[in-house]
Structures are given as structure tokens and as C-alpha cells.
Amino acid sequence: TNYLSGTSWASKGSQLGTSGYYCIYNGTNSSVTLTNLSPLTQYTVQVFEYNGPIGAEQYLTTNAGNNPASFTTLSKQNQTISFTTLPSNISYGDKPFKLNASSSSGLSIKYVSSDTTVAQIFGDSLKIIGAGNATITAIQEGDSNYTAAADLQQNIYIKKANLTVRADDKARQYGAENP
């Protein structure tokens, strides 16, 4: 029997008969990394030796000391967000700028604007839509290994654009229509 392997717990390899054991690695390396395990969950693993060509393997199924072995996965790790201070001298009409936040876990950050009539988020860029106040929130929701980080918020004030009015110098006689 040739057992197909899979190192992701979400898509385990072939089950060994009806044992409830699954093939996670089939090869000659001395270690393997198993992914997609749930936190605070007990797992049992067993090593089976085999020899013979592919398709005609013969497995040694006697148990040695500490084989099978059980282990419990750790709880999710905490993470934090660092968020670089937003610029303070911004006016309506200024170009979009990049938001700069990172998580201690290395997971990606999502940004949200409290007022999309003032500032809109496109990926990690902030586009100025109008004058006013908005709160920009940096979010990291966590994953199977990390808890959600505490959101970080920064307020941003977008000033009105300066308006310059320039009139052409024209003359008219009293009582005549404006040029």
C-alpha cells in the first residue's frame, strides 16, 4: 500500500486503514512540519518504518517506546500593532499617501476610515476626498496562530484648500454693462 501524505492538518494524507491515523509524511527526512493545527488541542502522532519500492512498501507496525506520542498545541500568541503618526498639514487636493502600520506577528494590516466623505482607504493608501475630520483605524484580526491585535486609531484633519481668485483688469464707462 502506498499512503499519500499531506503536512496540512486541514488536508491530511491517506488514513492508515481504519486506525484514525493519517499519513503526514512519506519519505526519508528526519523531521516534518505539520501546519494548520488548532490551538490548545491534543494530537497523537506515530512513526511507522517501512521498506520496499513504492507501491509495495512493507510497514513495521509494532510500537516502540514513546511511539505513538501525544502533544498539545499552544494557545494563540498575542500581537500588537505599530502605526506611524499621520501627517498633520494636509489640505483638500493633496495627493494620496501611504499608511504605515505593521503587526508584531508580521500579518497584514487592514485600514478603515470613519468618514469616507473625508478620507477613503485603498489598500494601504489614504485618498483625500474632502475637508473635515476622520478617524483612521489600523486592524489586525489574527489567524490560527495569533489573537486579534488591539485596534489603533488616529485622527486626521483635512483643511479646506486655499482658494485664489484673480480677476482680469477691465474698464467700463459708468452705466455701461459689465464686460
Side-chain angles (χ1 to χ4, degrees):
T1 303
N2 183 22
Y3 295 104
L4 300 175
S5 63
T7 58
S8 170
W9 196 254
S11 58
K12 301 178 277 285
S14 303
Q15 184 173 189
L16 307 178
T18 58
S19 66
Y21 289 112
Y22 293 85
C23 182
I24 58 166
Y25 179 73
N26 188 349
T28 58
N29 287 342
S30 60
S31 67
V32 63
T33 300
L34 187 56
T35 60
N36 291 318
L37 299 175
S38 297
L40 295 174
T41 303
Q42 183 171 348
Y43 293 90
T44 302
V45 295
Q46 186 168 4
V47 175
F48 294 96
E49 294 182 75
Y50 70 92
N51 60 27
I54 293 177
E57 296 96 338
Q58 294 182 338
Y59 289 86
L60 176 62
T61 58
T62 58
N63 292 343
N66 295 326
N67 191 21
S70 294
F71 65 93
T72 301
T73 53
L74 301 174
S75 61
K76 288 184 176 187
Q77 294 182 28
N78 293 328
Q79 63 172 329
T80 58
I81 296 175
S82 298
F83 194 0
T84 302
T85 303
L86 297 175
S88 59
N89 191 17
I90 304 171
S91 298
Y92 175 70
D94 287 354
K95 292 182 180 183
F97 60 90
K98 185 176 179 182
L99 298 169
N100 193 2
S102 60
S103 66
S104 59
S105 65
L107 296 172
S108 62
I109 300 292
K110 179 174 95 175
Y111 302 95
V112 176
S113 171
S114 66
D115 189 342
T116 55
T117 65
V118 173
Q120 291 183 358
I121 308 295
F122 295 93
D124 64 354
S125 291
L126 184 141
K127 182 177 181 184
I128 298 161
I129 304 300
N133 292 305
T135 300
I136 307 303
T137 305
I139 301 167
Q140 203 326 293
E141 297 172 338
D143 66 3
S144 60
N145 296 314
Y146 291 91
T147 59
D151 296 348
L152 283 186
Q153 296 183 331
Q154 291 191 44
N155 294 320
I156 189 166
Y157 174 68
I158 310 297
K159 297 183 283 189
K160 293 179 181 180
N162 291 327
L163 179 61
T164 303
V165 177
R166 188 168 293 144
D168 291 337
D169 190 15
K170 300 279 182 175
R172 72 172 173 97
Q173 288 213 335
Y174 182 75
E177 294 212 11
N178 288 332

